[in-house]
């Protein structure tokens, strides 16, 4: 016959031929009516009234009033007595709220007499059913479904007694120094350094799509594929929380290149979200949040001059990271090629601080640049800042400036082509010989004069004693001691 509380049916409407009328005077749950009207796209006078709540205690009285009104206007007679049906989940009990006089004074800052409190509330339909010492018990009228707590009654008293009577007092707030969170300090330091190096900070929407993530060619078991999907995304491009900031930066690069801005150096700080639905419970949302830093470079370095423009390369990005870690006070080392499908396997590295793997850096794989429709060589880096905070910061020691000259010696080491520089450097530094103040690589030789599959590394070692001048005999002795130790290493061959 009808949609209860929303719309009546044509079969039950009253017209000129109607002789018998059945009266239904009801109270419907506002939430249910609101959902039903929205679901069917119907907004009627009835739904407007029930959505906002009516008095659930006056149905019998209104039924009698309507009956007498119909009889007095249209004639006829009433048959039978009203029947009452109440849904089992609806109690229909009146609501009683206790009101403390001390609470009124604490909230409003004014003291009111008992008579004033009762008079103000009784004038708008609230009946005082009980009073014990400083506590009142008021019964809420059915037509005030918005009143359900003690503070609601205090609000009514403040409104009726005049807001202007509430005294104005300046709050007394204790002032104390609150140290900023470590991550916030880290963000500030990163922004300061990278902006000083000419990078621009990107601020992308914190959403991404499955389609954009798939362009990175991640393996199926990669945890970054465990996206946290939204229940009501605005569109398919904003359907998930990001597990990586790289897709949004690549989209920004593509947009800039389409608008003739070829030289881009971006960084973005933010969170990545990994779904952990298997651990979700009442206390855990089942989402792992990570603080990450992502950098992207493309184009040329010397964009402000016409002379000798220099393209961004691997070593420029490496230098940016080295300067950043030095400014932050953390150690940094690069290791073997990063096993990331979106990076070029021959031009990428893993980034460590101490023994903690923080992220990767390298040249973007050509297939990824093609999928994101970007041109040229693109270098990227991605770091876990939450892991960086767990690393030990470098300790600094001050030494007096040496007043005596140093002496340098060279040492030539032949190694396998596959052995990385950092491995050879580690073998040199672990010997911990006296007076060695510096070790640096000065030459790398391949090809002519060397066995196949070998390469030659020429290191320059600086010797210096801050207290006296070293003699050739002392330096030669230390150098020979180093050579003898290195000869015992089967992976090294001295020339």
């Amino acid at each position: 016959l009808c949609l209860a509380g929303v719309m009546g049916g044509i079969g039950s409407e009253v017209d000129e031929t109607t002789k018998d009328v059945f009266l239904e005077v009801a109270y419907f749950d506002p939430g249910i009516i609101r959902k039903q009207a929205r679901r069917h796209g119907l907004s009627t006078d009835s739904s407007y009234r029930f959505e906002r709540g009516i008095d659930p205690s006056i149905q019998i009285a209104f039924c009698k009033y309507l009956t007498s009104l119909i009889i007095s206007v249209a004639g006829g007679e009433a048959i039978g007595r009203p029947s009452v049906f109440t849904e089992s989940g609806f109690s229909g009990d009146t609501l009683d709220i206790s009101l403390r006089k001390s609470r009124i004074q604490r909230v409003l800052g004014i003291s009111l007499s008992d008579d004033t409190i009762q008079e103000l509330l009784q004038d708008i339909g609230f009946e005082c059913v009980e009073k014990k010492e400083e506590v009142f018990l008021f019964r809420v009228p059915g037509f005030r479904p918005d009143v359900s707590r003690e503070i609601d009654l205090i609000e009514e008293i403040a409104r009726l007694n005049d807001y202007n009577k509430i005294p104005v007092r300046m709050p007394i707030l204790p002032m104390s120094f609150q140290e900023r969170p470590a991550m916030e300090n880290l963000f500030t330091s990163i922004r300061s350094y990278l902006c000083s190096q000419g990078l621009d900070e990107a601020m992308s929407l914190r959403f991404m799509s499955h389609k954009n993530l798939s362009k990175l060619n991640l393996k199926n078991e990669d945890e970054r594929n465990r996206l946290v999907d939204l229940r009501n995304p605005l569109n398919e491009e904003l359907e998930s929380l990001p597990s990586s900031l790289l897709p949004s930066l690549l989209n920004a690069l593509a947009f800039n290149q389409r608008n003739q801005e070829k030289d881009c150096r971006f960084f973005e700080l933010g969170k990545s979200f990994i779904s952990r639905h298997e651990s979700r419970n009442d206390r855990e949302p089942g989402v792992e949040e990570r603080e990450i830093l992502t950098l992207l470079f493309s184009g040329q370095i010397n964009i402000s001059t016409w002379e000798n423009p220099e393209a961004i390369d691997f070593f420029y990005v490496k230098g940016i990271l080295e300067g950043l870690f030095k400014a932050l006070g953390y150690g940094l080392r690069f290791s073997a090629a990063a096993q990331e499908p979106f990076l070029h396997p021959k031009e990428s590295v893993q980034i460590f601080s101490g023994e903690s793997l923080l992220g990767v850096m390298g040249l973007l794989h050509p297939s990824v640049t093609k999928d994101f429709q970007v041109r040229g060589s693109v270098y990227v880096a991605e770091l876990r800042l939450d892991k960086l905070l767990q690393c030990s910061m470098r300790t600094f020691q001050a030494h007096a400036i040496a007043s005596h000259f140093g002496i340098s010696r060279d040492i030539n080491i032949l190694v396998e082509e596959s052995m990385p520089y950092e491995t050879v450097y580690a073998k040199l530094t672990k010997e911990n010989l006296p007076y060695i103040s510096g070790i640096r690589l000065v030459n790398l030789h391949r090809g002519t004069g060397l066995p196949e599959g070998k390469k030659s590394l020429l290191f320059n070692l600086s010797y210096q004693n801050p207290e006296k001048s070293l003699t050739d005999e002392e330096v030669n002795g230390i150098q020979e001691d180093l050579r003898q130790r290195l000869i015992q290493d089967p992976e090294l061959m001295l020339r």
Side-chain angles (χ1 to χ4, degrees), residues 22-160:
F22 175 81
L23 288 180
E24 179 191 24
V25 182
Y27 168 84
F28 296 113
D29 181 83
I32 294 177
I33 299 301
R34 189 180 302 112
K35 292 178 182 178
Q36 183 171 254
R38 181 174 299 178
R39 182 169 67 250
H40 294 286
L42 295 174
S43 180
T44 64
D45 291 340
S46 175
S47 66
Y48 185 88
R49 174 69 63 186
F50 284 114
E51 284 176 6
R52 283 152 181 79
I54 63 171
D55 190 346
S57 63
I58 58 173
Q59 276 65 43
I60 293 294
F62 265 81
C63 184
K64 294 178 180 179
Y65 168 74
L66 289 173
T67 301
S68 64
L69 184 62
I70 292 174
I71 292 174
S72 63
V73 174
E77 60 177 321
I79 301 176
R81 298 176 62 84
S83 297
V84 179
F85 170 77
T86 303
E87 177 67 28
S88 58
F90 178 70
S91 64
D93 296 336
T94 56
L95 177 62
D96 294 337
I97 302 176
S98 61
L99 175 63
R100 295 165 291 174
K101 190 175 179 180
S102 59
R103 178 68 172 167
I104 298 174
Q105 184 172 358
R106 187 162 65 250
V107 173
L108 303 182
I110 56 177
S111 180
L112 299 175
S113 65
D114 295 356
D115 294 339
T116 302
I117 294 173
Q118 294 186 56
E119 181 180 347
L120 290 175
L121 293 178
Q122 286 176 351
D123 285 348
I124 57 174
F126 291 85
E127 179 186 357
C128 182
V129 295
E130 186 179 348
K131 180 181 182 301
K132 290 183 179 180
E133 297 178 355
E134 296 292 309
V135 180
F136 301 88
L137 188 65
F138 283 96
R139 179 156 296 165
V140 180
F143 59 85
R144 291 299 303 270
D146 58 311
V147 177
S148 59
R149 302 172 299 166
E150 181 185 38
I151 194 65
D152 297 330
L153 293 178
I154 297 176
E155 181 182 359
E156 295 297 326
I157 292 173
R159 179 175 62 85
L160 297 170

Side-chain angles (χ1 to χ4, degrees), residues 366-431:
S367 65
V368 179
T369 60
K370 180 181 178 181
D371 289 340
F372 279 94
Q373 299 181 358
V374 295
R375 299 183 298 275
S377 298
V378 181
Y379 290 87
V380 298
E382 198 163 50
L383 301 172
R384 287 276 302 273
L385 298 182
D386 51 333
K387 284 189 174 182
L388 179 62
L389 281 182
Q390 300 171 9
C391 298
S392 300
M393 299 186 71
R394 293 185 302 172
T395 57
F396 296 90
Q397 293 181 344
H399 298 280
I401 297 176
S403 57
H404 301 274
F405 293 103
I407 301 177
S408 64
R409 292 287 187 271
D410 292 338
I411 186 168
N412 202 345
I413 304 176
L414 189 68
V415 297
E416 294 290 340
E417 177 66 39
S418 59
M419 182 178 290
Y421 156 78
E422 65 170 4
T423 302
V424 183
Y425 182 82
K427 291 178 181 293
L428 286 171
T429 55
K430 76 174 183 178
E431 298 301 336

Side-chain angles (χ1 to χ4, degrees), residues 404-473:
H404 301 274
F405 293 103
I407 301 177
S408 64
R409 292 287 187 271
D410 292 338
I411 186 168
N412 202 345
I413 304 176
L414 189 68
V415 297
E416 294 290 340
E417 177 66 39
S418 59
M419 182 178 290
Y421 156 78
E422 65 170 4
T423 302
V424 183
Y425 182 82
K427 291 178 181 293
L428 286 171
T429 55
K430 76 174 183 178
E431 298 301 336
N432 196 25
L433 294 173
Y435 306 136
I436 296 182
S437 59
I439 301 175
R440 65 187 182 94
L441 178 68
V442 295
N443 190 26
L444 169 63
H445 179 64
R446 295 186 177 95
T448 306
L450 296 181
E452 185 177 354
K454 300 287 187 178
K455 64 182 177 182
S456 176
L457 301 174
L458 179 63
F459 288 90
N460 179 264
L461 282 69
S462 299
Y463 295 89
Q464 191 172 36
N465 186 343
E467 298 178 355
K468 66 174 186 176
S469 296
L470 293 173
T471 64
D472 286 339
E473 290 75 13

Side-chain angles (χ1 to χ4, degrees), residues 252-355:
L253 175 61
F255 175 83
N256 277 269
Q257 289 184 345
R258 288 195 300 269
N259 288 276
Q260 308 304 315
E261 187 60 51
K262 301 177 182 179
D263 305 306
C264 299
R265 288 175 286 179
F266 298 144
F267 75 94
E268 185 167 7
L269 293 162
K271 289 184 177 181
S272 68
F273 302 86
I274 307 297
S275 174
R276 304 292 185 196
H277 58 268
E278 67 277 359
S279 63
R280 184 173 182 176
N281 53 47
D282 293 339
R283 299 179 63 88
E284 296 294 333
V287 177
E288 179 185 351
E289 299 183 17
R290 301 171 175 176
E291 300 286 355
I292 58 175
L293 165 65
T294 304
L295 301 99
L296 181 145
F297 302 84
S298 179
Q300 297 178 344
I301 303 172
N302 300 326
I303 59 177
S304 60
T305 62
W306 61 271
E307 187 178 7
N308 298 326
E310 182 180 353
I312 291 175
D313 60 7
F314 180 89
F315 297 102
Y316 171 78
V317 180
K318 180 173 177 284
I320 291 290
L321 289 175
E322 288 174 341
L324 173 62
F325 274 72
K326 183 177 181 181
L328 296 177
Y330 290 94
L332 172 66
R333 66 180 180 90
F334 300 94
S335 187
Q339 303 300 316
E340 290 286 7
F342 57 84
L343 294 179
H344 197 291
K346 298 297 184 181
E347 201 167 343
S348 62
V349 291
Q350 294 177 319
I351 302 172
F352 287 83
S353 182
E355 299 302 320

